Amino acid sequence: MASKIAIASLIALSAASEGLRPWEAPGPNDLRSPCPMLNTLANHGYLPHDGRDISAQQFADAAFEVVNIDPMAIKQVANYFLRASNQTSINLTDLNRPGILQHIASLTRDDVTDPDSVDVTASQDRIHHLIKDSDTDCITIASLAKTRLHVEDLSSPKELTLKEQTFAYAEAGLLLLTMIEGDVPSGWSFPPATAYCAPKKRVETWLTEERFPEELGWKKSERTIGLMDFVPVIKGIYEEKRSQAGKGPLWKAFVPSFLQQAGTDSEL
Ligand code: HEM
């Protein structure tokens, strides 16, 4: 009997150690960022729950441990911010400063242009829109392209710089890859755009509550998500966005229209 209890306790212990740390909402003195993932990591206690004094290494360790994303890439992003703001560690609200990582036309936050703003609350309207932009049960490359066009429209006439556009595509990719259903397709396998589905309910719960929606099937990627895995997603969103905006494929922008016509004629 005693040995049965000991085995049961061992099983319970190992199940608990495999699970996520419990989620706790931020208190009135806890700081949060414009990044839904960093907030989620703080809410689950993988980053300091008070959101203060965090180093690049802590960001990288937390993202690797819980999401299984390349820690070197995460450390580079964090170091980029630390260098630009001349700090060795930061509070999460520091990330809201425009012009380093924070930008206009975000998927979930209204535009912030005040450098001292600590308003990092997610916009329920934007999240609602992001969900509605897909007419299936999944957030997809096509739906994210539609959402990007919508949020850029909201910020118009202000436009994203080239650097900010790159961040915005990478963030849309982060959303899709970290909330994906099933395994993250390897970027080296040149997966089609249709290979990516992040279940709507999972994305909505994550973005609204800033917690990992395990009850909706969210789990850490088995394979470490690397930079190459972003390539097909970013390319897909970029191309889909051009197509939805009626611009056609990028190569057409570089080829004079009479040559495009000639190409079409010779195919006939
Ligand atoms: C697993 C790692 C990460 C994931 C999955 C992730 C995901 C995301 C997503 C989906 C957004 C877009 C939110 C929106 O458009 O409203 C975002 C925004 C942002 N992230 Fe992260 N992130 C990660 C790591 C980091 C790190 C390490 C930093 C910096 C230390 C960072 C800083 C930011 C900032 C400043 C924004 C706001 C950009 C804006 O103005 O829209 N993120 N992140």
Side-chain angles (χ1 to χ4, degrees), residues 201-215:
K201 191 73 198 133
R202 191 182 293 179
V203 173
E204 188 176 17
T205 304
W206 171 50
L207 293 175
T208 311
E209 299 177 25
E210 300 195 323
R211 70 174 175 84
F212 291 108
E214 276 189 303
E215 78 288 2

Side-chain angles (χ1 to χ4, degrees), residues 33-38 41 59 63 67 69 74-75 77-78 81 90 95-96 101-109 148 171-172 174-175 178 206-207:
S33 77
C35 173
M37 183 53 82
L38 298 182
L41 290 168
F59 284 119
V67 184
I69 192 160
I74 295 296
K75 201 170 168 184
V77 173
F81 185 87
I90 51 167
L95 290 164
N96 209 31
L101 290 174
Q102 199 267 97
H103 53 77
I104 58 165
S106 305
L107 298 171
T108 65
R109 263 77 180 167
R148 285 248 34 93
E171 289 154 13
L174 279 164
L175 182 151
T178 54
W206 171 50
L207 293 175

Side-chain angles (χ1 to χ4, degrees), residues 17-73:
S17 66
E18 276 168 20
L20 283 171
R21 295 183 194 166
W23 180 88
E24 194 191 324
N29 296 320
D30 295 331
L31 304 178
R32 290 296 178 261
S33 77
C35 173
M37 183 53 82
L38 298 182
N39 295 348
T40 305
L41 290 168
N43 291 342
H44 280 274
Y46 292 96
L47 289 174
H49 197 267
D50 66 2
R52 293 165 199 267
D53 199 16
I54 308 175
S55 67
Q57 192 62 49
Q58 281 174 292
F59 284 119
D61 290 346
F64 178 59
E65 178 181 353
V66 192
V67 184
N68 199 6
I69 192 160
D70 180 358
M72 290 312 291

Side-chain angles (χ1 to χ4, degrees), residues 162-209:
L162 196 62
K163 182 186 84 175
E164 290 171 336
Q165 283 185 43
T166 315
F167 290 152
Y169 282 116
E171 289 154 13
L174 279 164
L175 182 151
L176 202 51
L177 293 181
T178 54
M179 290 295 132
I180 200 166
E181 179 66 25
D183 297 334
V184 172
S186 163
W188 297 105
S189 68
F190 304 104
T194 49
Y196 300 86
C197 156
K200 269 185 175 175
K201 191 73 198 133
R202 191 182 293 179
V203 173
E204 188 176 17
T205 304
W206 171 50
L207 293 175
T208 311
E209 299 177 25

